[in-house]
Amino acid sequence: MRAAQDGSYERPHRPARSEGASPADRRSAIRLAALRLFAAQGYRSTTMTDIGAAVGIRGPSLYKHVASKHELLAEIMIGTMEQLIADNVAAVAGTDDVREQLRRAVEAHIRYHARHRLEAFVGNREIGSLERPDQDRVLSRRSDYERRFRELIERGAAEAAFDVQSARIASYSILDMGIGVASWFHEGREFSVDQLAYQYGDIALRIVNAQPRRSAGERDGTDRS
């Protein structure tokens, strides 16, 4: 799917028909078709008939695999947040250094948004289309995800590794970078995903005014020169 000049997404071409596929494969194809259509024309303008036509499943047969388009939207948006949280947990697990933890968390954040642009686009635009309690589930996971960044920044400030006036504003600024990446990044152009992630890691450390690491002597107040 390509982004149009106005930032919207062009309607996808219809994929091949899915006859003969397993139920799991059909469910996956339906979810992908819904994601593309939600990005291209919006959730409210997409019908179950549109989704069925995109995967070559007609009428009532579609409801053997999915109950409603709302179910698909909720699955997409909850799955997006759960994957972001899982990536964050994995990213910070390999080190205790708060600077490196923040860098790795930001790199994971950027990689996801660069590689899952449609999920990020739909997740950001369609939160108002979700009905409760699914909307509450997504918002709860969003709060959890933001809190993970904020607590890293607060810990870094407490350890004198970061110098920030507001950990919350810093965390929001960092999270917004991922949303921006999803809107403009295209793999295979000027930067690779890894190059992009590393550069954004540098930017995040500047946002929190990361301080140079101190030597052991500086930390305990002794002179080891």
Side-chain angles (χ1 to χ4, degrees):
M1 179 171 299
R2 300 185 302 275
Q5 291 182 349
D6 63 359
S8 62
Y9 285 83
E10 296 179 8
R11 186 181 180 92
H13 295 294
R14 181 179 299 181
R17 293 176 67 84
S18 59
E19 282 83 359
S22 70
D25 289 341
R26 283 181 176 162
R27 174 75 185 204
S28 179
I30 292 166
R31 181 187 180 280
L32 179 58
L35 173 64
R36 289 173 171 169
L37 287 164
F38 295 160
Q41 61 193 35
Y43 170 78
R44 297 189 186 280
S45 296
T46 299
T47 66
M48 286 291 280
T49 300
D50 293 333
I51 297 169
V55 293
I57 299 177
R58 296 181 180 178
S61 297
L62 182 62
Y63 290 92
K64 295 178 181 178
H65 305 284
V66 59
S68 67
K69 69 172 185 175
H70 185 270
E71 178 182 286
L72 288 165
L73 181 65
E75 181 179 314
I76 289 166
M77 295 182 70
I78 293 171
T80 293
M81 291 313 307
E82 289 182 344
Q83 187 61 58
L84 280 166
I85 291 169
D87 289 350
N88 179 275
V89 170
V92 303
T95 179
D96 292 328
D97 184 272
V98 71
R99 300 171 189 82
E100 187 63 20
Q101 285 183 321
L102 182 61
R103 169 181 283 283
R104 293 183 186 185
V106 170
E107 289 182 0
H109 180 67
I110 296 300
R111 285 191 178 96
Y112 182 89
H113 283 77
R115 290 172 173 157
H116 300 275
R117 296 176 60 240
L118 299 187
E119 287 89 342
F121 181 79
V122 170
N124 186 55
R125 186 178 68 181
E126 299 292 357
I127 186 65
S129 299
L130 276 179
E131 300 170 6
R132 302 180 73 174
D134 290 317
Q135 186 183 78
D136 293 336
R137 294 188 181 106
V138 172
L139 292 174
S140 175
R141 285 162 175 79
R142 283 189 177 185
S143 295
D144 178 25
Y145 189 59
E146 184 275 329
R147 177 182 54 78
R148 292 170 183 274
F149 282 88
R150 178 163 35 91
E151 288 180 352
L152 270 182
I153 295 167
E154 289 171 344
R155 180 161 66 84
E159 295 175 4
F162 304 149
D163 182 11
V164 293
Q165 292 185 345
S166 170
R168 186 178 297 277
I169 290 175
S171 70
Y172 287 164
S173 299
I174 289 169
L175 293 174
D176 281 348
M177 294 192 302
I179 297 170
V181 163
S183 71
W184 67 262
F185 179 74
H186 294 273
E187 196 163 4
R189 296 187 180 178
E190 184 176 1
F191 302 107
S192 70
V193 172
D194 287 338
Q195 288 171 330
L196 189 75
Y198 193 83
Q199 290 189 54
Y200 271 90
D202 281 345
I203 293 169
L205 291 176
R206 289 199 289 272
I207 286 174
V208 299
N209 194 18
Q211 304 300 299
R213 291 180 176 85
R214 294 180 297 171
S215 67
E218 290 173 320
R219 289 194 298 271
D220 62 21
T222 61
D223 183 358
R224 302 192 182 196
S225 60

